[in-house]
Amino acid sequence: MGSQCKKSVETIAAQAGNHRDANGSVSAPLYFSSNYRHPSLEQAINFDEQKEYTYARLATPTRRVLEETLVELESGQRAFALSSGMAAVQLALSILKTGDELISLDDLYGGDFRYFRYLESHIGVKFKQWDGEKLADLVDLLSPATRVVWLETPSNPTMKKLDLEALSAVVHEYNSSILVMVDNTFYTPIYQQPLTLGADVVVHSATKYLSGHNDLLGGVVVVNDEQLANEYYEYYITTGDTMATFDAWLLLRSLKTLPIRMERHTESALKIKEFLESRSEVTKVLYPGKAGMISFYLSTPELTRQVLDNVKLISFAESLGGAESLITIPLYQTHADVEEAQREKLGITPTLLRLSVGLENPDDLIADLAQSLDKN
Ligand SMILES: *Cc1c(COP(=O)(O)O)cnc(C)c1O
């Protein structure tokens, strides 16, 4: 980790990777080498995995600088940069064994449920869901077999918000060895640092806000427990789902602007929320108050088709969190893997759209939404 005194997230981000290279380079250099020379047999025998380099699957100088920055941003101890958000989910859950129980919020990124079902059918992990309403209901679900509680807040796409502090306290009171894991993709460490609120593991799809430019695929796991970190490290270097060094460098560069990007995403989203609420065709708007994700319902499926077919500035495309605004229909895209009964319960319907507000001028985005609603 960088320094002793506590820095603000803006400063950590702006100086991501700086002042670490022996040559004094201001921007962190990009190391493509897949392997590293041993200066002596002595060094090879006493190799320090946390500081030195042998082979790129274990660590590269660029990826390590990124991981150290992520540790600082999330107030953790150790971070792992992976090839995708789903690789991060897999690493986080790699501690599960047959018979262990995983409890998750019922509203999550759709791919999570596909992986949970895989763990159920192939590993024999038991899986239960909680609706995020009452803590007492979560406590009722806990059992001696519970190993992980998996959360997203705000949730995706229905924007449920959870009190992570109260929730972590209740879970740990029941059994301090249960791991509370939080996917922090939507709020990022700028708005929420789950480890400081009692969570044990933070996961990101770095493909989204952390990268912010719709140009890389990545995942992140951050923990604040050395023993858990060592367990993850073994799995990480063994399975090799590591982030490519070029992507690590791109992500490091992107992190520098994360705080100002998030500020702008929020400002614009607030304006667009207001616009959507002013339109009679929009029956409901879900916005958690920060960041750039807005879900909204239109009055008819025909109108949904009209909007998706007619937006011009906003791209009808999956993903989120980038400079470019995107609109998706969760039912057919991000949440196609969620079972039908559950989609109905959550309100993932043919009239629900999810907008990722980008960094364009919000007035232009509003004009685009307005023309797509006015069409015909
Ligand atoms: C996209 C996403 C994921 C999956 O990440 P990938 O980088 O696409 O593998 C996980 N969680 C959330 C909240 C996401 O938005």
Side-chain angles (χ1 to χ4, degrees), residues 84-87 89 109 112 152 156 183 185-186 205-208 217-218 320:
S84 72
M86 288 314 295
V89 173
Y109 175 72
D112 289 350
E152 261 181 48
N156 178 8
D183 182 331
T185 301
F186 270 37
S205 168
T207 316
K208 317 297 169 54
L217 194 65
L320 63 104

Side-chain angles (χ1 to χ4, degrees), residues 55-60 63 66-67 80-84 87-88 91 217-220 232-233 235-248:
Y55 190 63
R57 177 158 25 83
L58 280 63
T60 76
R63 204 164 74 222
L66 168 69
E67 288 169 341
F80 301 89
L82 297 106
S83 58
S84 72
L91 176 65
L217 194 65
V220 169
Y232 281 165
Y233 178 73
Y235 188 85
Y236 179 81
I237 62 166
T238 306
T239 54
D241 246 343
T242 57
M243 182 180 282
T245 204
F246 182 68
D247 288 349

Side-chain angles (χ1 to χ4, degrees), residues 265-376:
H265 285 301
T266 299
E267 242 174 69
S268 296
L270 283 166
K271 285 190 186 163
I272 289 168
K273 170 186 176 271
E274 219 167 276
F275 161 76
L276 290 170
E277 283 171 346
S278 76
R279 294 289 302 221
S280 59
E281 306 95 326
V282 179
T283 54
K284 194 173 176 189
V285 181
L286 304 170
Y287 179 63
K290 289 175 191 159
M293 297 306 296
I294 303 177
S295 294
F296 60 99
Y297 290 89
L298 292 169
S299 47
T300 65
E302 292 69 37
L303 203 52
T304 312
R305 178 183 300 271
Q306 180 183 312
V307 167
L308 292 175
D309 288 350
N310 288 289
V311 281
K312 293 188 173 70
L313 200 61
I314 300 168
S315 299
F316 173 21
E318 279 188 71
S319 201
L320 63 104
E324 301 86 357
S325 293
L326 306 177
I327 194 162
T328 56
I329 177 156
L331 176 64
Y332 300 116
Q333 299 200 294
T334 51
H335 290 70
D337 288 315
V338 179
E339 279 157 11
E340 195 179 336
Q342 186 166 350
R343 286 198 307 243
E344 273 166 23
K345 186 175 133 228
L346 291 169
I348 301 174
T349 70
T351 59
L352 174 70
L353 293 178
R354 197 189 71 183
L355 178 65
S356 172
V357 177
L359 300 176
E360 303 92 342
N361 187 311
D363 296 337
D364 294 338
L365 297 173
I366 287 170
D368 192 31
L369 288 167
Q371 68 79 25
S372 74
L373 286 165
D374 289 339
K375 210 87 186 176
N376 300 322

Side-chain angles (χ1 to χ4, degrees), residues 13-14 16-18 27-28 62 65-66 69 210-211 213 215-216 246-259 261:
N18 294 166
S27 165
T62 311
V65 168
L66 168 69
T69 305
L210 296 188
S211 127
H213 292 70
D215 59 6
L216 70 85
F246 182 68
D247 288 349
W249 183 84
L250 261 185
L251 182 55
L252 196 55
R253 180 187 168 127
S254 297
L255 286 177
K256 290 173 182 282
T257 54
L258 179 65
R261 283 190 283 113

Side-chain angles (χ1 to χ4, degrees), residues 71-337:
V71 158
E72 283 193 88
L73 285 172
E74 283 288 8
S75 297
Q77 288 290 326
R78 296 261 294 277
F80 301 89
L82 297 106
S83 58
S84 72
M86 288 314 295
V89 173
Q90 188 187 339
L91 176 65
L93 295 179
S94 63
I95 46 109
L96 288 173
K97 299 186 178 76
T98 304
D100 284 350
E101 198 169 73
L102 161 68
I103 300 175
S104 88
L105 186 69
D106 62 356
D107 184 37
L108 300 172
Y109 175 72
D112 289 350
F113 292 112
R114 192 166 55 196
Y115 189 54
F116 297 167
R117 285 202 296 271
Y118 172 88
L119 289 174
E120 215 172 20
S121 62
H122 288 66
I123 313 286
V125 168
K126 285 181 266 170
F127 173 48
K128 291 181 191 165
Q129 294 182 57
W130 173 55
D131 65 9
E133 298 294 325
K134 294 196 193 81
L135 273 185
D137 293 342
L138 175 62
V139 174
D140 283 347
L141 290 175
L142 296 171
S143 83
T146 309
R147 184 86 177 95
V148 171
V149 174
W150 185 276
L151 308 163
E152 261 181 48
T153 176
S155 70
N156 178 8
T158 67
M159 309 292 175
K160 294 186 203 186
K161 285 203 283 185
L162 305 172
D163 181 344
L164 284 181
E165 205 161 6
L167 203 152
S168 303
V170 160
V171 170
H172 289 143
E173 193 180 325
Y174 178 86
N175 177 352
S176 60
S177 66
I178 296 174
L179 299 172
V180 175
M181 302 192 180
V182 179
D183 182 331
N184 204 24
T185 301
F186 270 37
Y187 262 10
T188 82
I190 304 307
Y191 291 138
Q192 174 171 272
Q193 295 173 314
L195 297 177
T196 67
L197 301 171
D200 302 287
V201 178
V202 171
V203 170
H204 281 274
S205 168
T207 316
K208 317 297 169 54
Y209 284 113
L210 296 188
S211 127
H213 292 70
N214 289 319
D215 59 6
L216 70 85
L217 194 65
V220 169
V221 173
V222 191
V223 297
N224 57 11
D225 178 84
E226 270 306 309
Q227 200 186 326
L228 182 60
N230 290 337
E231 225 178 302
Y232 281 165
Y233 178 73
E234 283 298 310
Y235 188 85
Y236 179 81
I237 62 166
T238 306
T239 54
D241 246 343
T242 57
M243 182 180 282
T245 204
F246 182 68
D247 288 349
W249 183 84
L250 261 185
L251 182 55
L252 196 55
R253 180 187 168 127
S254 297
L255 286 177
K256 290 173 182 282
T257 54
L258 179 65
I260 56 166
R261 283 190 283 113
M262 293 313 287
E263 198 178 306
R264 178 61 183 263
H265 285 301
T266 299
E267 242 174 69
S268 296
L270 283 166
K271 285 190 186 163
I272 289 168
K273 170 186 176 271
E274 219 167 276
F275 161 76
L276 290 170
E277 283 171 346
S278 76
R279 294 289 302 221
S280 59
E281 306 95 326
V282 179
T283 54
K284 194 173 176 189
V285 181
L286 304 170
Y287 179 63
K290 289 175 191 159
M293 297 306 296
I294 303 177
S295 294
F296 60 99
Y297 290 89
L298 292 169
S299 47
T300 65
E302 292 69 37
L303 203 52
T304 312
R305 178 183 300 271
Q306 180 183 312
V307 167
L308 292 175
D309 288 350
N310 288 289
V311 281
K312 293 188 173 70
L313 200 61
I314 300 168
S315 299
F316 173 21
E318 279 188 71
S319 201
L320 63 104
E324 301 86 357
S325 293
L326 306 177
I327 194 162
T328 56
I329 177 156
L331 176 64
Y332 300 116
Q333 299 200 294
T334 51
H335 290 70
D337 288 315

